[in-house]
Amino acid sequence: MNLRKTLLGLALILPATLAQAHEYEVGQLHIDHPWSRALPPVAPTAAAYFVVHNKGSEADRLLGASTPVAGKAELHEHVHQDGVMKMQQVQDVAIPAGGEVKFEPMGYHVMLFNLKQQARNGERFPLTLTFEKAGSVEVEVAVQQEAPAGHDHAVGHDAGKHQH
Ligand SMILES: [Cu+2]
């Protein structure tokens, strides 16, 4: 392999490496590392996770999400009911003033239905989040095998259970 090819290869790899941490700002909100777990191509749904920090003194609410890669996106939560974990749709998610809300496996998540195609590990797809006060922001969801650092407690007990 000549040097030029090597450099070209590095240039292609670099953005994926930098993708390890990516974040967004909208109004008083800070959105940290949107990600989705890489799933088999036949999986009918996917879920997106991220952390929303509210740096303002006013509470906000996440009202909904949309993405061109799925026919439908819903806000979901996991609940314990009669000793069973299950998912249910929620109309909105409150983001308290000065607080943060984690969207993570076994917690709140954006559920994606009617996927045109299951995203592959290392890919990214756009997701628009709409907040009551801060408005809308388009983020890129990084598709990866493992939960990001700091979310490792979730690895292992959510794999394979994320089904409707
Ligand atoms: Cu769900």
Side-chain angles (χ1 to χ4, degrees):
M1 190 189 278
N2 64 33
L3 180 62
R4 194 166 165 177
K5 265 191 180 158
T6 306
L7 289 175
L8 191 62
L10 284 176
L12 291 173
I13 291 165
L14 200 56
T17 307
L18 292 174
Q20 286 310 309
H22 60 303
E23 47 205 300
Y24 302 86
E25 301 276 344
V26 57
Q28 296 298 305
L29 303 179
H30 181 98
I31 298 157
D32 220 6
H33 198 75
W35 70 283
S36 181
R37 193 182 299 284
L39 297 172
V42 294
T45 60
Y49 312 107
F50 43 85
V51 181
V52 184
H53 303 267
N54 185 349
K55 299 176 291 181
S57 53
E58 242 191 332
D60 206 337
R61 284 192 301 161
L62 178 60
L63 301 178
S66 66
T67 172
V69 304
K72 188 169 66 157
E74 290 181 355
L75 303 179
H76 275 198
E77 66 178 345
H78 268 102
V79 288
H80 275 291
Q81 209 169 65
D82 304 324
V84 181
M85 263 317 237
K86 54 185 218 174
M87 293 196 285
Q88 65 186 30
Q89 189 181 4
V90 292
Q91 288 312 306
D92 54 63
V93 177
I95 316 290
E100 69 168 36
V101 176
K102 288 190 168 110
F103 287 70
E104 59 186 353
M106 307 310 284
Y108 285 119
H109 53 278
V110 176
M111 197 83 201
L112 306 178
F113 297 95
N114 305 330
L115 292 172
K116 284 158 192 149
Q117 194 179 351
Q118 187 65 245
R120 280 178 298 206
N121 188 32
E123 290 182 344
R124 284 180 168 208
F125 61 85
L127 178 72
T128 300
L129 301 173
T130 301
F131 296 92
E132 185 179 45
K133 302 211 174 81
S136 292
V137 59
E138 184 180 295
V139 304
E140 278 195 318
V141 178
V143 180
Q144 55 192 63
Q145 303 277 13
E146 301 293 333
H151 298 234
D152 286 3
H153 59 277
V155 176
H157 62 243
D158 67 319
K161 288 187 187 164
H162 199 98
Q163 291 170 356
H164 283 262

